[in-house]
Amino acid sequence: PLVKSSLNDILSAIGVGSFHWRLMAICGAGWTADNGWTQTVVMIVPTVQREFGVPNWGIGFLGTALFAGMALGSHFWGRWADTTGRRYAFNATLLIAGVFGLIAATSVSFSMLVVLYFVIGTGVGGNLPVDGAMFAEFTPKLERGRLMVLLSVFWSLGGFTVALIAWLVI
């Protein structure tokens, strides 16, 4: 006779293995990059103000653009991932943040940097829900809480990495 099993039952029977640790490394790299972007805003403010002559009252547009992009990106990419697949959305969001981040490094004006940070934000904001959902849906139910907490360590790693790079470069 056919036995009906839920995905959670199957994942629990398989347990945690090398696939989960590889997936954690991949998703963790995404979260590291995501927090890295949110931290760069704070790290580059003095340099951006000097380079482009941005007054104190105007510098907030940079962070606002990033977080507005994140709000839009989380809504769009989360829905897109549900219909198209998380892997494609995961790769696209990291590609957007990476490519537009490289372009942002060549900004010739503050306005250009703000627009690029908005686009970067759409990638970062899209990656956050896609990344967590992608990891959680392949994790056995009984281990999900513990593994999601371990995945969160990568978020902190992003902030640490950016701070270290800023200390060395800026």
Side-chain angles (χ1 to χ4, degrees):
L2 287 173
V3 176
K4 289 188 177 183
S5 296
S6 70
L7 180 59
N8 278 326
D9 293 338
I10 294 168
L11 288 172
S12 294
I14 293 170
V16 176
S18 62
F19 167 79
H20 296 96
W21 299 117
R22 284 194 313 268
L23 185 61
M24 179 179 285
I26 291 166
C27 292
W31 274 13
T32 297
D34 291 341
N35 191 26
W37 282 114
T38 63
Q39 297 301 311
T40 60
V41 174
V42 176
M43 303 294 176
I44 67 171
V45 163
T47 304
V48 168
Q49 284 188 296
R50 277 193 311 274
E51 180 72 23
F52 298 121
V54 180
N56 288 339
W57 63 265
I59 196 66
F61 287 111
L62 191 60
T64 300
L66 179 70
F67 288 104
M70 287 174 66
L72 179 69
S74 64
H75 178 73
F76 171 79
W77 287 107
R79 294 174 69 88
W80 194 76
D82 287 341
T83 59
T84 308
R86 301 205 197 291
R87 181 177 59 173
Y88 299 114
F90 176 82
N91 289 330
T93 56
L94 288 179
L95 182 67
I96 287 168
V99 168
F100 285 91
L102 289 172
I103 297 169
T106 67
S107 291
V108 295
S109 70
F110 181 65
S111 299
M112 179 181 177
L113 187 62
V114 168
V115 169
L116 290 169
Y117 257 73
F118 176 81
V119 178
I120 291 165
T122 64
V124 171
N127 185 261
L128 287 169
V130 169
D131 200 336
M134 186 170 70
F135 184 71
E137 71 188 4
F138 286 106
T139 306
K141 186 177 181 180
L142 294 175
E143 297 292 329
R144 194 169 298 144
R146 181 177 69 89
L147 293 176
M148 290 300 290
V149 168
L150 283 174
L151 180 66
S152 297
V153 169
F154 286 93
W155 180 261
S156 300
L157 184 61
F160 172 78
T161 302
V162 168
L164 182 62
I165 292 169
W167 179 70
L168 293 171
V169 175
I170 301 176

